[in-house]
Amino acid sequence: MTTAAHPMIVNALGQLDNPNTPAARAAATQLNPASGQLAVDARAIAEARASGLTAVNITLGYTMGDLPPYEHTLDEIAVWDGILDAYPADLLKVRTAADILRAHRERRIGVIYGFQNAVAVGEDPALVESRVAGFAEAGVRVVQLTYNQANRLGDGSMATANRGLTPFGRQVVEALNDHHLMVDLSHSGENTCLDAARHSRQPVSINHTGCRALADLPRNKTDEELRLVADRGGFVGIYFMPFLNPTGHATAADVVDHIVHAVDVCGEDHVGIGTDGSVTAVDDLDAYRTSLAEHVAARRAAGVGAAGERADTYPFVVDLRGVDQFRDLIRLLEKRGYRSDRIEKILGRNFLDYADRVWAS
C-alpha cells in the first residue's frame, strides 16, 4: 500500500539524467540528442530516488531531425536496455502496472519506454502491424502520435491546418490498441486529439500538457479535449513547463492552478503529473541560458518549436525543481485544501490505474 511517508510518484513524462555534465551540456544545444549522450549517472539516479520517484516515462527513439526514424529508434531501445542493465539495483523496466507496484515496493525506479513521435512505424501501411508488435515486444509502452509538427498520422499542435487523424493515423491507433500500448496525444493538434480519443478502442492519454483555459497556447489542451479523454477513461498529466503562464515564466503556483482546473474538468481520478523534466536540477542557470538560446533558435529554424518558447523561458519551473519538487507540490496541494487521498491519486495512483486499464492483456 502507498503510505503518506512514501507515496507512489509516477511521472507520466520526464527525464532521468544529470544535465550538468559536459556531455549533457553539449547535448542540450542539439535538436535531438541521442540517449547515449544523456548522463544517466549515479547523481541522477540517487537524486531521483531521494525525490521519492517511483516510475517515469522517458522519451527514446526518433522525435525530429535527419536520422532514419526506425533504425534510430531501435538503437535507442538498445541504449536504454544497456542503461537498465548497468543499474539493476536501482532501475526496473516497466512492462505492466504490476512492475510499477514492484518498483514502489522495492524502492527502485521504474522506467517506462515511450515515444514522442510515431513516425518510426514508417509510411507503409503493410508494415504498421509488425513494427508496432516489435516495439511492444521490446518494451515500449507509450506512443505519442505526433510531435509539434504534422506527420502522416495527423497534425501536431503547431501545424496550422489543424487536420484530424488521417486514415493512416487511424490504422496506427488500431495497431496500438491491439498491442495494448498507450496512445499519447500530448503534442497533437486539437482535431487530431479529438479524433484519436474518439477512434481509439482503449482509453488514451495526454501525458504532459496544460490547460488552455488558463493559458491560451497551442501546447495546452482545451476543456473539450481534456473532458473527452477523461470521459473515455483516460489520463491527463500536467507539466512543469513555461506554457502554464502566458508570460512564459511559469511558477509552482501555476502548476497547482492547472492541476486544480484539470481536476475540475476531468475529475480527480484522471489527472496526474508529467513534468517533462528531470529531478536533477541545472546547477548553473547563467551558463544554461546561453545553451538555451541556441537550442530555442535551432528548434525555431527547424520548424519544431512551440508558441511560447523563447530564449528567456526555461523549460522547467524554477521554484518547483530538484530533489524536493514532489514534496513541494504535495505541500502546495495541501494548502489548496486537497486531502491526502486525492493527492496520492494525482502523484501516481491515477497513472497506475490508467496503465492497468491499457496494458492489461
Side-chain angles (χ1 to χ4, degrees):
M1 290 289 291
T2 301
T3 66
H6 183 53
M8 177 182 296
I9 300 172
V10 183
N11 191 349
L13 191 284
Q15 302 169 34
L16 190 63
D17 65 287
N18 176 3
N20 300 295
T21 68
R25 289 194 296 270
T29 64
Q30 300 174 23
L31 276 179
N32 190 28
S35 291
Q37 296 174 270
L38 300 176
V40 185
D41 60 10
R43 175 181 172 184
I45 293 172
E47 292 190 351
R49 294 185 69 174
S51 76
L53 183 67
T54 302
V56 56
N57 168 33
I58 55 97
T59 299
L60 53 75
Y62 179 88
T63 301
M64 67 190 88
D66 298 327
L67 294 168
Y70 180 64
E71 292 79 5
H72 175 61
T73 297
L74 294 181
D75 289 344
E76 292 266 287
I77 291 171
V79 167
W80 271 99
D81 283 346
I83 291 170
L84 268 63
D85 287 344
Y87 294 96
D90 301 296
L91 306 179
L92 172 68
K93 189 173 184 176
V94 170
R95 291 178 176 270
T96 66
D99 288 332
I100 297 177
L101 290 171
R102 179 184 173 192
H104 185 255
R105 185 173 62 252
E106 297 179 359
R107 304 294 176 94
R108 289 199 278 171
I109 299 169
V111 179
I112 304 164
Y113 287 8
F115 298 167
Q116 284 209 66
N117 199 330
V119 296
V121 300
E123 299 187 353
D124 184 350
L127 294 178
V128 168
E129 166 62 26
S130 62
R131 288 199 171 176
V132 170
F135 293 142
E137 179 63 26
V140 175
R141 287 297 174 264
V142 182
V143 176
Q144 188 173 281
L145 297 189
T146 75
Y147 194 60
N148 288 333
Q149 66 275 42
N151 62 23
R152 286 202 63 208
L153 289 76
D155 280 4
S157 60
M158 294 306 299
T160 56
N162 193 24
R163 299 174 302 161
L165 194 67
T166 67
F168 184 72
R170 289 195 289 273
Q171 180 186 357
V172 173
V173 168
E174 291 164 7
L176 296 174
N177 288 167
D178 290 342
H179 292 279
H180 302 278
L181 302 187
M182 289 181 181
V183 176
D184 182 7
L185 304 168
S186 295
H187 281 258
S188 68
E190 182 177 0
N191 285 334
T192 295
C193 178
L194 294 170
D195 283 355
R198 294 181 180 119
H199 187 73
S200 178
R201 301 189 310 274
Q202 293 184 336
V204 299
S205 62
I206 307 171
N207 281 358
H208 61 299
T209 192
C211 305
R212 199 176 299 182
L214 301 186
D216 189 10
L217 291 168
R219 269 293 285 114
N220 295 331
K221 295 298 187 183
T222 64
D223 284 0
E224 182 182 8
E225 293 169 274
L226 298 174
R227 188 174 294 111
L228 179 62
V229 167
D231 285 349
R232 297 178 69 88
F235 171 86
V236 172
I238 299 300
Y239 47 30
F240 299 3
M241 289 289 280
F243 312 113
L244 298 180
N245 190 300
T247 69
H249 303 295
T251 66
D254 292 314
V255 175
V256 174
D257 285 344
H258 281 255
I259 290 174
V260 169
H261 182 82
V263 169
D264 288 344
V265 172
C266 301
E268 68 176 39
D269 295 328
H270 300 279
V271 178
I273 54 172
T275 69
D276 206 4
S278 179
V279 168
T280 298
V282 172
D283 292 333
D284 188 342
L285 288 177
D286 290 334
Y288 178 73
R289 289 190 189 97
T290 300
S291 62
L292 176 63
E294 295 175 14
H295 186 65
V296 169
R299 285 173 59 85
R300 184 180 299 116
V304 298
E309 292 181 16
R310 302 193 308 271
D312 68 334
T313 59
Y314 295 124
F316 46 78
V317 174
V318 174
D319 60 340
L320 196 62
R321 65 194 184 106
V323 173
D324 290 325
Q325 60 185 266
F326 304 120
R327 288 183 283 271
D328 290 342
L329 179 60
I330 291 171
R331 286 192 287 269
L332 290 169
L333 290 171
E334 288 174 340
K335 288 182 179 179
R336 292 296 290 266
Y338 274 31
R339 60 188 186 275
S340 60
D341 59 335
R342 176 177 280 189
I343 292 173
E344 284 193 14
K345 289 180 179 182
I346 292 166
L347 287 176
R349 182 63 62 177
N350 284 341
F351 184 91
L352 176 73
D353 290 346
Y354 167 65
D356 192 49
R357 290 193 290 274
V358 176
W359 293 341
S361 57

